[in-house]
Amino acid sequence: MRFLPFDSNCAAVVAGWPVTAEEAVMWCGLREFPVPEGTVSAWQREPDVTAYALVENELPLAYGELWLDAEEDEVELARIIVAPGVRGRGLGRLLVWGLLAEARLTGLAEICMRVHPENTAALRCYRGAGFEQVDAASTAAWNTGQPVEYTWLRHGSA
């Protein structure tokens, strides 16, 4: 298993991982289901977004992004998903550890992430990787203008 920069040629594979419309919303906030390949490809062109994958035998098994915000001195882990056939094997946590290592290399002070509040498996994974929920005031401020009341997490070793 290798942690690598994401190959955008695999966008169709990743776009097919959400198995329900609800899962697509929890993963990336999209109400469009199935998620279009072009949407995942377009993410690769966004400024200050870098995507990574866990790859085995040239096939991606997990996907996630870093969103860099130099103005806020933070990096956000985002759009993390594991292929349906390999969930429950700890690959999400391996991916998060790889993303954390890359996030630390940016030199930005804060490492954070938002999680759909009903995504209990993701919350368990991220807490197991050392993320902790931010205080209520920060949560309220950061949720201003968001489509749902996200659970916001911060990594303690930033």
Side-chain angles (χ1 to χ4, degrees):
M1 184 101 34
R2 296 179 298 154
F3 177 82
L4 300 170
F6 181 68
D7 179 349
S8 60
N9 292 321
C10 297
V13 172
V14 172
W17 288 349
V19 295
T20 65
E22 294 78 19
E23 187 178 342
V25 169
M26 286 194 288
W27 170 44
C28 62
L30 289 180
R31 301 234 177 258
E32 188 174 8
F33 183 77
V35 176
E37 171 186 354
T39 298
V40 177
S41 294
W43 295 339
Q44 311 315 303
R45 296 185 297 277
E46 291 179 12
D48 300 322
V49 172
T50 307
Y52 295 89
L54 278 182
V55 178
E56 186 174 70
N57 299 324
E58 306 305 318
L59 293 173
L61 299 178
Y63 171 91
E65 297 173 351
L66 296 180
W67 296 355
L68 306 178
D69 187 340
E71 186 176 305
E72 294 291 329
D73 199 20
E74 71 181 24
V75 58
E76 184 175 342
L77 279 64
R79 296 183 186 134
I80 295 169
I81 191 167
V82 175
V86 295
R87 292 178 183 166
R89 294 182 20 199
L91 299 180
R93 192 165 301 160
L94 285 175
L95 178 70
V96 168
W97 287 336
L99 291 169
L100 281 169
E102 292 295 323
R104 287 184 193 105
L105 293 175
T106 68
L108 297 171
E110 295 283 339
I111 301 173
C112 62
M113 63 190 322
R114 70 187 94 176
V115 184
H116 194 284
E118 295 174 18
N119 197 341
T120 56
L123 285 166
R124 199 170 37 253
C125 171
Y126 306 146
R127 287 184 175 129
F131 280 87
E132 298 175 352
Q133 192 162 343
V134 302
D135 61 83
S138 294
T139 295
W142 295 352
N143 273 326
T144 301
Q146 297 294 334
V148 298
E149 294 289 315
Y150 289 109
T151 299
W152 288 87
L153 306 171
R154 179 180 289 131
H155 199 266
S157 70

